[in-house]
Amino acid sequence: AREKDRAVVLGRLVERKVVDDFLKTLTDDRGKRMRAQVEAMKRSGVGHLAYLIEGSLLGVPSADAERLSSEMSRLEMREGFHVHHTPTMHVSHSYLVMTTRRLLADISQRTVKQVLHQPGITSLAELAESARPPKQVWEVWAHMLCHVPGMSDSAVQGVLDHGWCTPHAFTAAVHAEGEGFAEHVLEPGRKRRKLSGDLHRLVTSVNYLAS
């Protein structure tokens, strides 16, 4: 976001699952895991909810394939989700890159105020407030960072303790200090440089965002 300490959520939440994992989610505890996941996504406050299902159904037993197909239809027709089915990880990656680039191109020349007038888009602060129970922006941001591979709880705490408590502050540090910007705030170790580079690419690379 161009305005200081403002961040927007672009109105799309995608849950990617390979076919085997999707089937396991459906069958675990008689489907309770799947229902809990769907309800959690619906409570997120994000307008466009999607499942990206990856892998062929050809090698899946017929009863399981029928169950998977039925669930994908139910997600679309009853829950209002968008379901996109891809045959391979490569096609999934291409789809996510295309979607990310389209979103970024649509907002790149607009102010936060203009972007927030678009349907399905909300500010990060509003998303945090809509959580149950309501959260602070830094809590939502910390939860996002926890999903970056290699980010431990102590690494996330180091980022917050350094004052990078919002996406805006974090992004400003990335652009000001370059790829090694976070090495001094992460836990000592051989992987610290790589993790700092990954955090840099989180902000600067469309391919990383889609991976």
Side-chain angles (χ1 to χ4, degrees), residues 5-22:
D5 296 329
R6 294 291 302 278
V8 297
V9 180
L10 295 181
R12 284 179 180 264
L13 177 58
V14 179
E15 174 69 21
R16 173 178 167 263
K17 285 188 176 295
V18 297
V19 165
D20 288 346
D21 184 39
F22 189 38

Side-chain angles (χ1 to χ4, degrees), residues 188-201:
R190 291 179 299 172
K191 296 182 179 180
R192 180 168 54 177
R193 179 173 296 180
K194 179 183 181 302
L195 183 53
S196 180
D198 287 344
L199 290 171
H200 182 272
R201 286 184 287 278

Side-chain angles (χ1 to χ4, degrees), residues 119-196:
I121 293 181
T122 185
S123 71
L124 187 60
E126 290 170 334
L127 183 68
E129 290 171 3
S130 70
R132 295 293 178 269
K135 299 182 182 298
Q136 299 294 319
V137 167
W138 71 264
E139 292 179 287
V140 177
W141 170 232
H143 186 69
M144 292 177 179
L145 287 174
C146 285
H147 289 279
V148 176
M151 283 296 282
S152 63
D153 291 346
S154 57
V156 172
Q157 191 62 54
V159 168
L160 299 176
D161 289 345
H162 199 68
W164 300 334
C165 299
T166 66
H168 179 274
F170 185 83
T171 301
V174 166
H175 291 306
E177 302 178 39
E179 193 165 336
F181 80 107
E183 287 187 41
H184 61 294
V185 305
L186 298 173
E187 301 165 282
R190 291 179 299 172
K191 296 182 179 180
R192 180 168 54 177
R193 179 173 296 180
K194 179 183 181 302
L195 183 53
S196 180

Side-chain angles (χ1 to χ4, degrees), residues 57-89:
L57 299 182
L58 293 179
V60 177
S62 58
D64 289 339
E66 184 176 344
R67 183 170 187 175
L68 290 169
S69 297
S70 176
E71 179 62 17
M72 286 189 277
S73 296
R74 191 191 71 82
L75 285 169
E76 287 194 305
M77 303 304 296
R78 294 195 177 185
E79 302 291 355
F81 281 60
H82 172 75
V83 178
H84 191 79
H85 187 195
T86 62
T88 65
M89 181 174 65

